[in-house]
Amino acid sequence: MGEFRVRSILVTGANRGIGLGLVQQFLGLPNPPEWVFAACRDPKGQRAQELQNLASRHPNLVIIPLEVTNPATIKVAAARVQEQLGDLGLNILINNAGIAKPNSLDNETLENMTQIYTTNTIGPLLLSQAFLPLLKKAAQGSPGSALSCSKAAIINMSSSAGSIEEVYLWDYGQVVSYRCSKAALNMLTKCQSLGYREYGVLCVALHPGWVQTDMGGSGSQKPPVTVDESVQGMLKVLSSLSEKETGTFLDWEGKVVPW
């Protein structure tokens, strides 16, 4: 892990749960990134207090206002990051922001399906489009042609709940809209890996495990994985990703998840 060197990273949904855990772990690396951009909806609000506390101690942490379903805020965020990074580009974009609603097959609605698909699938599409010029710059400025997270990468936070083969935890919760949005995100990741390979950008879908967060732990059972365990595992996976993993669906321990 000490060898994992990344100049810049942006994490969406960074004010709590896995997003906040990622920001904390990146800042705590032996060689932390020169710039960590933490994007969230309301940077000055109560729910971003921990992020604000971190920023007061880490001058390399920049909090960015961002609503992933709003193209105007995405454009402003990309311009803000470009202003900070200049010609160096962005090494890693982690599309982590996501929502879920515990609806079953029988009570799923048009409104829920639309809202959750927009956040979990269209959001990562729009973010990746907006930050692609910065990812390209990072790839061009990196020595060698092999793909890696130290060069340029899009990491889409998926879930094995979206695996059509596994349908993870069906008996725990049907969450149909969430499952459909993550299955679509997996396809988006595959498409991105094919479309962006020529630019030197690696693209992977990651399942963080069933994690003890506000979203993952809202039911009657306690999830088995802590945020720290999940994030430490994912950072280890990110540090070892290479050409052969682009376009794949992996979990927080580096195992391949069935599509």
Side-chain angles (χ1 to χ4, degrees):
M1 279 299 296
E3 292 302 304
F4 188 30
R5 303 208 61 166
V6 179
R7 182 182 279 125
S8 59
I9 178 162
L10 184 142
V11 182
T12 67
N15 61 310
R16 59 186 181 140
I18 291 166
L20 181 62
L22 283 162
V23 169
Q24 289 167 328
Q25 294 276 349
F26 270 105
L27 290 171
L29 285 175
N31 296 299
E34 286 174 32
W35 296 106
V36 175
F37 298 96
C40 64
R41 268 186 286 201
D42 183 14
K44 294 187 168 68
Q46 193 55 46
R47 295 175 90 178
Q49 191 58 55
E50 279 188 75
L51 207 49
Q52 294 166 32
N53 296 344
L54 272 178
S56 69
R57 299 196 306 272
H58 295 275
N60 58 331
L61 173 59
V62 179
I63 305 176
I64 304 273
L66 175 72
E67 168 52 71
V68 300
T69 62
N70 183 329
T73 74
I74 292 173
K75 197 173 174 184
V76 170
R80 173 74 183 83
V81 174
Q82 158 76 59
E83 187 184 305
Q84 194 75 53
L85 294 177
D87 289 332
L88 295 175
L90 178 70
N91 294 110
I92 308 179
L93 168 63
I94 301 185
N95 286 311
N96 166 71
I99 55 171
K101 292 193 176 178
N103 285 9
S104 68
L105 197 54
D106 295 338
N107 66 7
E108 201 51 87
T109 64
L110 170 65
E111 290 74 24
N112 274 339
M113 288 292 283
T114 304
Q115 182 193 12
I116 288 165
Y117 185 81
T118 303
T119 301
N120 294 359
T121 312
I122 300 174
L125 168 73
L126 298 179
L127 261 293
S128 301
Q129 288 173 339
F131 283 92
L132 183 61
L134 286 169
L135 291 161
K136 282 182 181 176
K137 276 185 186 174
Q140 286 159 4
S142 176
S145 59
L147 300 184
S148 76
C149 283
S150 298
K151 188 183 184 75
I154 295 169
I155 308 299
N156 291 325
M157 204 60 68
S158 187
S159 169
S160 59
S163 161
I164 292 169
E165 188 174 325
E166 282 199 358
V167 202
Y168 188 55
L169 295 171
W170 173 260
D171 294 330
Y172 173 78
Q174 293 184 8
V175 289
V176 173
S177 51
Y178 179 77
R179 292 180 187 281
C180 291
S181 72
K182 293 301 187 181
L185 179 65
N186 291 345
M187 175 55 92
L188 173 65
T189 307
K190 187 69 179 180
C191 293
Q192 289 173 332
S193 74
L194 297 171
Y196 297 160
R197 179 193 285 268
E198 63 179 296
Y199 305 130
V201 181
L202 180 146
C203 303
V204 167
L206 265 191
H207 166 54
W210 185 19
V211 184
Q212 295 166 20
T213 62
D214 291 349
M215 189 163 83
S218 58
S220 56
Q221 289 174 267
K222 187 178 180 182
V225 184
T226 67
V227 170
D228 275 355
E229 286 168 340
S230 169
V231 171
Q232 282 172 20
M234 288 193 288
L235 254 63
K236 197 172 174 186
V237 172
L238 295 185
S239 70
S240 65
L241 290 177
S242 66
E243 196 101 20
K244 67 180 188 295
E245 279 88 29
T246 195
T248 59
F249 183 16
L250 304 171
D251 72 9
W252 63 287
E253 295 176 302
K255 297 178 191 141
V256 174
V257 182
W259 292 106

